[in-house]
Amino acid sequence: MNPRIQNQYEIDDMYSALARIHEGLDATQSNLANACAVFLLAAHVDQNTLDEILQIARHSVAATA
Amino acid sequence: MFVRQTYKHTPNTLELAGAPLQETVTIVGGGLVGLTMALDLSHRGISVLVLDDDNTVSMGGRAICHAHKTLQIWDRLGCLEDILKNGVSWSKGKIYHAEELIHEFCVGTADADGVPPFVNLQQYYVEAALVDAIARQDNIDMRWNSKARLLRSDNDCVLLEVEGPDSVYQISTRWLIAADGARSEIRTAMGLECEGIRFQDRFLNTSVRLPPGRVAERQFWFDHPSHPGGTILMHQQADNLWRIDFELRDDEANEATDIADAAARITGLIGEGEDLEVEWTSLYAVQSKTMARYRYGRILFIGDAAHQVSPYGARGGNSGVPDAENLGWKLKRVLEDSAPDRLLDSYSDERVEAAQENVKRSSQSTEFITPHSYGSHLLRDAVLMMAKNQPLAARAINTGRLSEPMAYADSALNTPDEDNWPEISIKPGAILPPARIASMHGDSPLYKVFNDDFVVLRFGNEPAPVWLHDAAAHGEFRLLNIDTGNALAMEIGAREGAAFLVRPDMHVCARWLAPQPGKLEQALRRAQGKTVGDKQ
């Protein structure tokens, strides 16, 4: 898998935006917010990109087990 | 109200003598699909023997939701009137999260060809209508209380032993159609299995009589307050009976589900104060399975004997009935030697592909309805939460993607395109949409044109070329000229002079912007298995 490179946002701004949605949420709400974001974001990328991103996500988590 | 009849077969002297009988086509299994198969072949002029091990139509649940294509087929077989008379037409559905309505949908209307998009009717009603239609045919030998056992099969025939009401005898049949259900004894005797998934989730299936006056629509709840953590599907049937299916939580799965328990669950859903009478209950586990192929020499599998899917998309009976139609027109041609028997391999290829699609869709629905991991559950909840305000999320709600006809895009019977067609045009393998056409008898539904013939739909305001009329006059196909101003022409992207070759089951198998004699002849040969075409 190729490392993903961001090309649209300044990385720290992007990271902050992702972190900000969890402010004031408990664990359950946070998980749901993440799920909502992933679902909506998935519709904005092509199939190959989505497959690659999901593979990286799965692989990254599996590596910590 | 449904009045159950029992049927009797009076054995003839040959059966009583136990002498081996010679048959051309024998169907084992007189359920929804087996009976449809018998009628289909009968209408094509083929004599059929049907063996059923019972003396009545089915009991309890089974298929209740019959789709547009299935209804068209039953109309061709002369039993739609009875089905519409008793059935409940519906076209709208509602989905709730807890008690909040989060999504409404419409599955179409009957406007296009007069056939409703869906009709709900208990399987026993449909089977009774099919049995009545069979009684009107003089070339179907329907033998009740006749249990078949496979003895052997070879290149020439299939040998069965039949335990009839008064004797045991043998049948040697040229073709055997196994329509003996999910627990097919024919399949088991051959050591064959359906492959796929049997989900662990358990569902409580109930049939309950409620006072009249409710709206006939499909209703589905996630996390209803009376049933937290589970789902409920509610659908109307005939005689003011409603099918209400509850997904059971893990801690409920082993509970006894008696009538009182079911009544309490239903009261929790519809509220106190309604008279209700629970007719029956049953437990089931969802499975999504298919055999790898449906033809083994002279034995052909159809319906649940060949494949089983989750009931949530109404894909069981609605794939079994098209199995019968697909096999019917092909077997007829093989029997009359107008096509080689490899045409039957295309039955297997096409319908296995359809079943695999159904297995996939059914498994996706099951994962949404009963998520099998924490993350999957989270995603499902996220979608439900957003559904009211985000159209994308509403589209993702999957309470069972309802049955649609399969497009046989990869069929070896299709002739590959040589012309450049607009993207909206109907592609080889796809089925014709519901439509009306002008005919000698006035405005009529397009599907009524189709019976056992190939049809060339030629679009144009100018007369069709002479050679096309000549070919049609030779009986190779029927020619239907359609004005380019017809809504169908717009819908399938047909311009002046374009032509579509359509199979008896209404699937397009070739198309040309300007047809030519040699090309049409080749496409017709290919569509009947007379030339070997590579899969596309």
Side-chain angles (χ1 to χ4, degrees):
Chain A
M1 282 177 290
N2 297 324
R4 302 296 305 178
I5 50 166
Q6 64 90 23
N7 56 8
Q8 198 173 352
Y9 303 104
E10 200 287 314
I11 188 68
D12 293 340
D13 290 346
M14 187 188 85
Y15 188 91
S16 294
L18 288 175
R20 231 176 2 251
I21 68 165
H22 299 285
E23 284 174 9
L25 302 184
D26 63 22
T28 306
Q29 292 169 319
S30 229
N31 281 335
L32 271 172
N34 272 340
C36 289
V38 167
F39 175 81
L40 294 172
L41 285 170
H44 293 275
V45 296
D46 63 66
Q47 180 79 49
N48 290 338
T49 307
L50 178 64
D51 289 347
E52 193 179 347
I53 288 172
L54 295 177
Q55 211 179 342
I56 292 170
R58 174 84 193 198
H59 183 76
S60 303
V61 173
T64 65
Chain B
M1 294 282 280
F2 182 72
V3 179
R4 178 171 296 280
Q5 290 187 52
T6 54
Y7 305 98
K8 191 168 185 279
H9 167 59
T10 305
N12 60 34
T13 50
L14 287 173
E15 289 170 58
L16 292 171
L21 308 180
Q22 306 290 323
E23 297 290 340
T24 304
V25 179
T26 302
I27 299 170
V28 174
L32 184 88
V33 177
L35 296 172
T36 301
M37 183 81 250
L39 271 175
D40 183 279
L41 289 169
S42 165
H43 278 259
R44 297 181 200 280
I46 307 296
S47 297
V48 193
L49 170 68
V50 184
L51 302 168
D52 191 76
D53 61 3
D54 201 355
N55 67 346
T56 187
V57 293
S58 65
M59 307 267 191
R62 309 198 183 195
I64 63 156
C65 184
H66 312 293
H68 186 265
K69 174 61 180 168
T70 298
L71 298 171
Q72 284 181 337
I73 292 171
W74 285 333
D75 192 18
R76 179 170 56 79
L77 302 180
C79 48
L80 183 62
E81 202 175 314
D82 279 352
I83 288 165
L84 293 181
K85 185 177 72 189
N86 293 304
V88 178
S89 297
W90 65 275
S91 60
K92 291 185 177 165
K94 288 182 178 162
I95 299 171
Y96 300 84
H97 189 197
E99 289 182 292
E100 184 184 20
L101 177 64
I102 57 170
H103 185 51
E104 290 183 76
F105 61 91
C106 178
V107 291
T109 68
D111 293 349
D113 62 6
V115 177
F118 286 95
V119 167
N120 284 5
L121 185 64
Q122 296 92 313
Q123 185 166 327
Y124 48 75
Y125 261 115
V126 177
E127 289 182 10
L130 292 165
V131 171
D132 287 347
I134 281 176
R136 297 193 288 270
Q137 300 297 113
D138 59 9
N139 58 354
I140 302 177
D141 183 353
M142 181 81 220
R143 296 188 189 173
W144 301 97
N145 278 328
S146 298
K147 186 173 175 57
R149 187 164 70 89
L150 179 66
L151 295 180
R152 69 166 188 270
S153 170
D154 58 33
N155 290 337
D156 301 318
C157 70
V158 180
L159 191 64
L160 297 171
E161 180 183 76
V162 181
E163 190 182 332
D166 297 298
S167 64
V168 175
Y169 57 98
Q170 291 187 355
I171 289 175
S172 172
T173 185
R174 282 177 64 196
W175 296 97
L176 173 67
I177 299 174
D180 52 344
R183 297 188 181 89
S184 169
E185 291 187 18
I186 300 290
R187 191 184 67 226
T188 303
M190 295 172 71
L192 301 169
E193 291 181 356
C194 289
E195 293 165 6
I197 313 166
R198 182 183 169 88
F199 293 95
Q200 297 302 310
D201 318 286
R202 305 281 281 175
F203 290 82
L204 169 65
N205 194 341
T206 71
S207 177
V208 57
R209 183 166 285 109
L210 296 175
R214 288 177 170 272
V215 179
E217 57 192 7
R218 186 183 196 266
Q219 292 179 283
F220 197 100
W221 287 265
F222 292 93
D223 286 321
H224 187 271
S226 71
H227 193 58
T231 60
I232 308 171
L233 172 64
M234 185 171 178
H235 238 196
Q236 190 173 9
Q237 311 171 105
D239 300 335
N240 291 316
L241 286 166
W242 291 75
R243 264 281 285 280
I244 307 181
D245 293 358
F246 297 85
E247 173 208 344
L248 298 178
R249 299 188 306 266
D250 289 345
D251 61 324
E252 299 175 304
N254 295 322
E255 279 180 18
T257 48
D258 59 17
I259 297 288
D261 178 87
R265 288 175 191 275
I266 294 162
T267 300
L269 176 67
I270 65 170
E272 301 277 355
E274 294 235 38
D275 286 336
L276 63 87
E277 176 199 339
V278 179
E279 189 191 34
W280 51 259
T281 69
S282 67
L283 276 178
Y284 69 88
V286 172
Q287 44 189 356
S288 293
K289 296 179 174 180
T290 177
M291 295 173 75
R293 56 192 172 99
Y294 300 161
R295 182 187 175 197
Y296 291 81
R298 291 184 169 273
I299 302 179
L300 299 140
F301 289 87
I302 61 172
D304 281 0
H307 46 73
Q308 303 108 45
V309 290
S310 147
Y312 279 90
R315 290 169 180 265
N318 290 315
S319 58
V321 171
D323 284 351
E325 184 179 57
N326 188 304
L327 180 55
W329 71 264
K330 293 172 180 174
L331 184 55
K332 186 259 175 103
R333 282 163 172 77
V334 171
L335 283 168
E336 66 181 14
D337 286 330
S338 66
D341 78 2
R342 66 167 171 264
L343 180 60
L344 299 175
D345 294 334
S346 75
Y347 157 71
S348 178
D349 292 344
E350 291 176 352
R351 296 311 298 167
V352 167
E353 188 186 358
Q356 285 168 342
E357 173 73 9
N358 283 333
V359 165
K360 179 182 158 191
R361 296 287 172 209
S362 161
S363 300
Q364 288 171 336
S365 300
T366 303
E367 182 60 36
F368 194 92
I369 293 165
T370 58
H372 293 103
S373 68
Y374 171 75
S376 176
H377 210 292
L378 200 61
L379 188 62
R380 202 274 305 267
D381 288 349
V383 164
L384 295 178
M385 202 171 66
M386 293 190 290
K388 269 188 86 169
N389 300 315
Q390 296 292 333
L392 184 70
R395 274 175 47 206
I397 299 175
N398 188 345
T399 62
R401 302 291 185 209
L402 291 163
S403 172
E404 290 181 355
M406 180 71 188
Y408 305 130
D410 296 327
S411 174
L413 306 187
N414 295 343
T415 294
D417 280 333
E418 292 181 353
D419 301 327
N420 291 321
W421 285 88
E423 190 54 36
I424 62 153
S425 180
I426 188 166
K427 297 178 177 65
I431 198 163
L432 290 175
R436 287 185 173 276
I437 53 161
S439 73
M440 286 161 51
H441 312 293
D443 183 48
S444 73
L446 175 65
Y447 79 91
K448 286 186 181 283
V449 168
F450 289 83
N451 46 47
D452 191 45
D453 300 325
F454 280 80
V455 173
V456 170
L457 298 183
R458 190 260 177 189
F459 290 84
N461 302 328
E462 299 296 320
V466 173
W467 69 264
L468 202 50
H469 280 291
D470 287 348
H474 278 95
E476 295 171 36
F477 56 84
R478 275 183 297 128
L479 177 61
L480 194 62
N481 211 61
I482 298 175
D483 193 290
T484 47
N486 185 290
L488 178 66
M490 321 267 193
E491 188 171 352
I492 69 175
R495 298 180 204 146
E496 175 73 34
F500 295 75
L501 177 61
V502 189
R503 313 180 338 177
D505 55 8
M506 293 181 68
H507 286 265
V508 171
C509 54
R511 59 180 180 173
W512 304 271
L513 292 174
Q516 296 166 25
K519 304 268 186 191
L520 176 58
E521 188 189 345
Q522 281 174 16
L524 260 172
R525 288 178 57 77
R526 181 170 179 149
Q528 295 172 88
K530 294 176 185 173
T531 53
V532 181
D534 294 331
K535 277 191 162 190
Q536 290 175 52

